[in-house]
Amino acid sequence: MIQALLLAIWAGLCTWDQYGPHLGFRKPLLASVGVGIILGDIPTAIMIGATMELMWLGVNNIGAYVPPDVISGTIVGASLGIMAHTDTASAIALAVAIGIPTATLVQQLNILVMTTNITFLHGADKAAESGEFKSVNKFFWLGACSFFLTRAIPVFIATGLGSTVIESIMGFLQNDVPWVLSAFSTAGGMMPAVGLAMLLTMMMKKNMWIFLITGFVFAAFLKVPTIGIALVATAAAGFYDFVVESGKKSAAPAPQISEAASDDEDEEYDL
């Protein structure tokens, strides 16, 4: 239960990072590393976090849309995957299978809390109008605690109560219905491609596909390491920006001087 409590606190802190300092702990990879430190299995946590990072790569808040909560989904999935004490592939499959519905559930809680937190906002407005500035800080912390609890409570319930039955569930899945884990493993392998495709739909423009094909050729056929591709991409981006900016400057029309201004200059310098 101590580990479940620490995981719940970690989930709440990652949530505060999402709405506060933006240190990156809200990202699946770093959130999963925290889980690995608490549970004592950092390698498995990193692999689970990397899989979920790619899976949720294109998930972002756009306008009023509230996406699935990747923090709680990652922490619960990584925790139960590590607690299963199984091989890495099965741990990742279990993490994905549990993380997705958890993220969807907490998404609904997040919408509920964002709606109820409006009352704190109105209270802070009234306190500011009446000059009670200490009360404004109180309303701020009430809203922050609400966000904290929406992640901490589900994580505590899932990791504290779920750890007692996870071994029996894993035994049932591995021995009686092994095709379930196999299917989840296949789905988990497809999820990163889906996340990357969602990201590309936002990033790709009509003249960007050339760089995508070039990177694919480097990776698939020339076997260039990721760092090498990143360095080549950096140089290509710098060259591309230089060419584009040069083209804009050359295409810019020259400033036109009015005839009156020209006559004034002629008169001014006419000796």
Side-chain angles (χ1 to χ4, degrees):
M1 297 300 285
I2 298 298
Q3 288 180 332
L5 181 60
L6 292 175
L7 291 169
I9 294 174
W10 174 240
L13 293 177
C14 291
T15 303
W16 279 355
D17 178 64
Q18 181 177 4
Y19 295 102
H22 294 282
L23 300 176
F25 297 125
R26 67 192 186 280
K27 293 295 184 180
L29 184 57
L30 292 182
S32 185
V33 169
V35 174
I37 294 174
I38 295 172
L39 299 181
D41 190 353
I42 296 179
T44 303
I46 291 176
M47 286 184 279
I48 293 175
T51 301
M52 291 189 164
E53 185 76 54
L54 291 172
M55 182 176 71
W56 281 316
L57 199 61
V59 174
N60 291 290
N61 294 73
I62 301 176
Y65 170 70
V66 179
D69 185 63
V70 299
I71 295 173
S72 57
T74 299
I75 293 177
V76 171
S79 300
L80 297 185
I82 293 173
M83 290 177 182
H85 301 293
T86 184
D87 60 281
T88 303
S90 297
I92 294 175
L94 180 64
V96 172
I98 295 175
I100 293 177
T102 301
T104 306
L105 171 63
V106 178
Q107 175 191 29
Q108 308 306 316
L109 294 176
N110 192 27
I111 294 174
L112 176 63
V113 167
M114 292 176 72
T115 303
T116 57
N117 273 3
I118 296 176
T119 57
F120 299 144
L121 178 62
H122 293 324
D125 289 338
K126 292 180 180 178
E129 291 174 357
S130 60
E132 300 176 2
F133 298 110
K134 291 184 178 180
S135 297
V136 175
N137 197 38
K138 178 188 69 175
F139 286 111
F140 167 79
W141 282 108
L142 285 174
C145 289
S146 299
F147 283 116
F148 186 98
L149 293 175
T150 55
R151 275 68 169 186
I153 292 176
V155 169
F156 180 78
I157 293 174
T159 57
L161 302 180
S163 60
T164 59
V165 297
I166 190 63
E167 292 184 1
S168 59
I169 294 176
M170 283 302 300
F172 172 76
L173 292 176
Q174 290 176 334
N175 300 325
D176 298 335
V177 284
W179 55 270
V180 174
L181 280 180
S182 177
F184 280 135
S185 180
T186 303
M190 295 172 59
M191 286 298 182
V194 175
L196 186 60
M198 292 173 62
L199 183 65
L200 287 176
T201 56
M202 295 185 290
M203 294 177 58
M204 290 292 290
K205 298 180 181 179
K206 61 180 180 180
N207 54 347
M208 292 289 128
W209 60 270
I210 303 173
F211 300 103
L212 177 64
I213 294 177
T214 303
F216 177 78
V217 171
F218 278 133
F221 297 101
L222 302 180
K223 307 300 180 183
V224 178
T226 304
I227 295 179
I229 296 176
L231 293 175
V232 173
T234 302
F239 179 75
Y240 177 81
D241 184 69
F242 173 76
V243 171
V244 170
E245 291 298 325
S246 299
K248 289 181 179 179
K249 290 180 180 179
S250 61
Q256 296 180 355
I257 303 176
S258 63
E259 295 181 0
S262 178
D263 294 340
D264 291 342
E265 291 181 359
D266 290 341
E267 293 176 0
E268 182 179 356
Y269 297 101
D270 189 7
L271 300 178

